[in-house]
Amino acid sequence: MRALYVVGNWKSNKTIQEAIAWWNAFGALVSGDKKIASEAKKRHLIIVLCAPYTVLPALKENIESIGFPIALGAQDVSPFPEGAYTGEVSARMVKELADYVIVGHSERRRYFQETDSELEFETLHAQSVGLATIYCVEGEKNSIPGSATVVAYEPPSAIGKGQAEDVGKAGTVCAGIGRSTHKPVLYGGSVTPDNVASFLGHPAIDGVLLGGSSLDPSVFFTIIRVASSIP
Ligand code: PGA
């Protein structure tokens, strides 16, 4: 059975206090459902929460308390090594707090002008310290570094719009990316509890990347429930 990824991306949301409140609410939902941990394991779900750097220490400190397999991720990493790069957070620093990092999200490309060559360096530094990368692309035309771990296809027209891409169309793009990279391919863009089963049920889609649907712990939990029941 192939693994399925459920990855949350909080983007630039949540103070430390809000992050802890989310974590406690999510923990209560998980512990209130006696079967979810074993069902998620049986379904080979890989659950990752990508949070702002500022809240990662608090989440990591409480990761054991949740009693559920959820990994932490960052949303960006420096294309530079450690050194005189004011404001940057290096891969080694991220690795202290997280096991995953999103690289090349379309918002990073659009608002921060991140280029393919910078993204390649980000991916290489992440790989060199053992961070798994979730490499985002907007379509098959984007280049994908060989060292990326997982690819996420996120059409900008569907991100945060409340209107996901047609599953057949998304599946065709994911299949093409999968054929050329031999990596797991996720879909992201307005995934909700109502449409998640159709994406995860597609044979070429190995998981989902959730923005808005990760902000509310009960919505995120519902999506994990649906994912754990995908045949
Ligand atoms: P969305 O965002 O789920 O809010 O559309 C997805 C993403 O940008 O990762």
Side-chain angles (χ1 to χ4, degrees):
M1 187 187 263
R2 71 198 166 115
L4 286 180
Y5 287 78
V6 176
V7 182
N9 172 16
W10 280 356
K11 307 192 178 184
S12 189
N13 290 290
K14 298 200 191 289
T15 61
I16 295 173
Q17 217 180 357
E18 289 162 353
I20 291 172
W22 186 103
W23 195 252
N24 290 340
F26 183 73
L29 289 164
V30 178
S31 56
D33 184 330
K34 297 289 169 242
K35 293 201 206 125
I36 190 68
S38 64
E39 284 175 2
K41 189 169 173 218
K42 218 163 81 195
R43 183 60 199 79
H44 300 303
L45 291 191
I46 298 171
I47 301 162
V48 185
L49 180 63
C50 298
Y53 296 133
T54 47
V55 308
L56 283 172
L59 296 183
K60 187 179 160 76
E61 217 176 280
N62 289 296
I63 199 131
E64 303 293 340
S65 70
I66 212 159
F68 186 72
I70 180 165
L72 294 176
Q75 302 168 6
D76 185 33
V77 63
S78 179
F80 296 100
E82 270 175 322
Y85 305 102
T86 302
E88 287 295 90
V89 177
S90 78
R92 263 186 79 219
M93 298 172 192
V94 175
K95 182 59 181 147
E96 280 192 311
L97 298 168
D99 293 316
Y100 288 81
V101 62
I102 296 173
V103 173
H105 191 281
S106 70
E107 288 151 13
R108 300 293 319 166
R109 295 174 190 261
R110 178 166 164 212
Y111 298 122
F112 305 97
Q113 288 77 45
E114 292 195 353
T115 63
D116 282 348
S117 97
E118 282 167 334
L119 299 177
E120 182 147 9
F121 280 115
E122 292 183 17
T123 309
L124 279 173
H125 286 302
Q127 187 201 31
S128 74
V129 298
L131 269 174
T133 47
I134 301 164
Y135 194 91
C136 297
V137 296
E138 299 173 10
E140 288 186 78
K141 63 179 193 322
N142 288 121
S143 62
I144 297 170
S147 51
T149 315
V150 179
V151 181
Y153 165 54
E154 295 210 308
S157 59
I159 295 178
K161 300 288 192 309
Q163 181 69 54
E165 188 162 85
D166 171 73
V167 178
K169 195 171 160 198
T172 303
V173 177
C174 291
I177 295 169
R179 269 194 306 275
S180 61
T181 62
H182 304 289
K183 298 179 193 294
V185 187
L186 322 186
Y187 166 79
S190 298
V191 176
T192 64
D194 292 335
N195 64 22
V196 67
S198 63
F199 287 104
L200 293 178
H202 193 290
I205 299 178
D206 301 302
V208 285
L209 182 48
L210 313 161
S213 288
S214 68
L215 293 174
D216 179 329
S218 61
V219 175
F220 192 63
F221 177 75
T222 304
I223 288 183
I224 291 170
R225 267 235 125 285
V226 174
S228 67
S229 67
I230 299 290

